[in-house]
Every structure is written in C-alpha cells, then in structure tokens.
Amino acid sequence: YVGGKTDDVIMRIADIQLAFPFILLAIMALVVLGQGLLNLVIILAIGQWVVYARIARGETISQKRKDYVESARAIGVSHPRIIWRAILPNILAPLIVIGSFNVAGVILSEASLSFLGLGVPPEMPTWGGMLAESRDQLLGGYWWLAVFPGTAIMLTVLSLNILGDWLRDFLDPRLRGR
C-alpha cells in the first residue's frame, strides 16, 4: 500500500526466488536440512509466498488508485482503515483463487519430493512415497501399486483445479449476472 524501498526490496527478493526452479531449491534445502514433515512444510511455505505477495501487491496498487479509495483519503480516513475496510476485502478474492490452485501445486511438489526420497520419512505414508516403493514392483507385474496412488494424485489435483476455476467464476463480480 505504501510502496517505497521496502516494497522494492521485497519484490527484488521475490524476483530472485522466481529465477530458480522451486523443485531444485526444495531438493537443495531438504538435502541440507534433512527429511521431516516440519522441514517439508517450511520449505513448501517459503517456496509459495512469492505468488501471494505479487498478486497482493498488484491488486493493492490497482485498488488504491480507485475512486472510492481516493474519496476516503480526501475525507481523512486513516490509512489502516482504508487498508482493512476498502482494499483488503477487494483483494481477497484473487488470493483465495490463487490459494486453491496453489494447493494442487503443493500436493504435486510433496509427491515429487517424497518420490525422490526427500519428503517425509519413509514410515509416513504419502502418495509420492507409495509411487517410489512401487518402482521396483512394476517389473514384477504389480502395476496397481503405482496406478492407484498416481490416480489419487491426479484426481485430487484435478478436483482442486476445478474448485479453483469455480471459485474464480463465483468470486468475479463481472460474472455474477450470468
């Protein structure tokens, strides 16, 4: 909302993080930190903040130039009140939609890292871990050991993407009359 040097520094950090493929950063961090659910959650969260920050920044810049914000500023409404009462409600819809799509990406990232043996410990059941265990069994004719976890991942990600698409349509005020 305020902009300035802090905004520039945060966005440059975000640009640097976006310059590297997330999966490679996650592999490197998990090799250094070691396996574990907490490490995996922290790495997945750190890897995803950039998307939310960039969307929130862009929407905030767009909203703060609208007439209703200028009017509120002209009559002396405080900046925190403008942020909480005018801008935040209008930027939540895109963030919710991005969040629903992002959950699917996090599921795929976790499955990929667990498949590589870097996610959660092997004694914790995950779809990626199940796929990793089924690698050796495929040549023996036990195809279902890979098909069912893979299908579960696919259906979950597909359903989350459909939910995100529906949320985008539902929360878009331009599409409400249709």
Side-chain angles (χ1 to χ4, degrees):
Y1 178 77
V2 177
K5 292 185 184 212
T6 305
D7 177 51
D8 290 340
V9 168
I10 292 172
M11 285 301 109
R12 293 311 70 81
I13 291 170
D15 291 341
I16 290 168
Q17 185 171 339
L18 284 174
F20 296 100
F22 168 70
I23 197 76
L24 293 178
L25 288 174
I27 289 170
M28 184 177 63
L30 284 170
V31 166
V32 171
L33 296 175
Q35 279 186 328
L37 184 60
L38 181 63
N39 289 343
L40 184 64
V41 169
I42 290 170
I43 289 167
L44 290 173
I46 289 172
Q48 305 305 318
W49 75 273
V50 175
V51 176
Y52 297 102
R54 292 180 72 86
I55 296 293
R57 178 181 182 269
E59 288 293 318
T60 300
I61 289 171
S62 172
Q63 292 296 321
K64 80 177 188 178
R65 292 191 176 121
K66 300 271 174 114
D67 290 338
Y68 68 92
V69 174
E70 294 291 333
S71 300
R73 215 179 283 133
I75 62 172
V77 177
S78 67
H79 289 293
R81 186 165 173 89
I82 290 172
I83 292 169
W84 283 100
R85 301 285 298 205
I87 293 179
L88 187 61
N90 288 308
I91 70 169
L92 277 179
L95 291 174
I96 291 170
V97 171
I98 294 298
S100 67
F101 284 119
N102 212 4
V103 169
V106 168
I107 289 172
L108 286 173
S109 296
E110 185 280 327
S112 301
L113 292 168
S114 292
F115 179 77
L116 295 172
L118 295 171
V120 297
E123 59 270 3
M124 291 182 86
T126 64
W127 288 327
M130 290 177 192
L131 285 172
E133 289 177 10
S134 70
R135 270 190 305 232
D136 302 331
Q137 308 300 323
L138 283 174
L139 293 177
Y142 301 106
W143 55 268
W144 59 87
L145 294 175
V147 168
F148 292 125
T151 303
I153 294 170
M154 179 197 67
L155 291 175
T156 302
V157 169
L158 179 65
S159 64
L160 286 168
N161 283 334
I162 290 171
L163 173 69
D165 195 33
W166 176 82
L167 274 173
R168 185 196 66 220
D169 294 344
F170 180 75
L171 295 173
D172 190 355
R174 294 175 292 193
L175 299 176
R176 289 222 175 115
R178 294 183 187 173

